[in-house]
Amino acid sequence: MLGSGGSGGVPLIGCGCAVCHSTDPRNRRLRVSIVVEYAGGKRILVDTSPDLRQQFLTQGLTSVDAVILTHAHADHMHGLDDLRSVNYHRNAPLEIWSDAATLREARERFGYAFAPPRTNAGIWYAPSLVAREMEIGRAHV
């Protein structure tokens, strides 16, 4: 678990509640992202929180094998630019999986990331993503 805070993180800027003023380290939470590791050491990143850089640094992560975006809210997608370092360590583009609407939003906001890779002497100037469409189920309550 890389982050479990709400869309503004915890503590929330300017909030006066007891949780946001707590000294308990469990009440200092980055925004939501998770890495799932499975057999063979493959890693899937679910969502790219705006806190992604800090999350990877804190956990000592440098690479993932694919990304899944659950939806297009900023707190789940706006760390996408930080994937340039992942491309550097992979030395290859990265597949990003989501439903058609979320991928459309990602392309609108981060069009440069879906362009052909741009490197110079091993330096990745932008994230390099390959969109893969999938159907993401909706829970019924």
Side-chain angles (χ1 to χ4, degrees), residues 88 91 117-126:
Y88 171 79
N91 198 30
R118 292 172 294 191
T119 64
N120 184 5
I123 303 299
W124 290 79
Y125 291 106

Side-chain angles (χ1 to χ4, degrees), residues 63-85:
S63 188
V64 294
D65 297 289
V67 176
I68 296 173
L69 291 177
T70 59
H71 60 286
H73 290 172
D75 60 319
H76 291 257
M77 189 173 10
H78 281 190
L80 196 137
D81 192 68
D82 291 328
L83 293 175
R84 72 180 66 221
S85 294

Side-chain angles (χ1 to χ4, degrees), residues 12 14 20 37 40-41 77-79 115 124 140:
L12 186 61
C20 287
E37 189 170 324
M77 189 173 10
H78 281 190
W124 290 79
H140 297 283

Side-chain angles (χ1 to χ4, degrees), residues 20-140:
C20 287
H21 283 276
S22 171
T23 58
D24 186 335
R26 294 174 295 184
N27 288 327
R28 301 192 73 73
R29 298 188 306 275
L30 299 174
R31 289 166 280 194
V32 73
S33 289
I34 188 170
V35 170
V36 178
E37 189 170 324
Y38 59 97
K42 298 284 185 180
R43 292 183 181 139
I44 305 296
L45 172 64
V46 180
D47 289 329
T48 59
S49 151
D51 300 321
L52 192 66
R53 179 184 160 276
Q54 185 61 46
Q55 292 167 338
F56 269 52
L57 289 171
T58 298
Q59 297 301 318
L61 294 171
T62 57
S63 188
V64 294
D65 297 289
V67 176
I68 296 173
L69 291 177
T70 59
H71 60 286
H73 290 172
D75 60 319
H76 291 257
M77 189 173 10
H78 281 190
L80 196 137
D81 192 68
D82 291 328
L83 293 175
R84 72 180 66 221
S85 294
V86 172
N87 288 129
Y88 171 79
H89 289 284
R90 290 173 50 82
N91 198 30
L94 183 64
E95 289 185 345
I96 188 161
W97 293 81
S98 196
D99 62 27
T102 301
L103 289 172
R104 188 170 43 255
E105 285 283 331
R107 282 188 187 102
E108 286 178 18
R109 295 182 208 171
F110 301 95
Y112 60 90
F114 294 91
R118 292 172 294 191
T119 64
N120 184 5
I123 303 299
W124 290 79
Y125 291 106
S128 181
L129 307 174
V130 177
R132 301 283 188 230
E133 189 176 328
M134 64 187 276
E135 187 172 327
I136 296 179
R138 303 279 185 233
H140 297 283

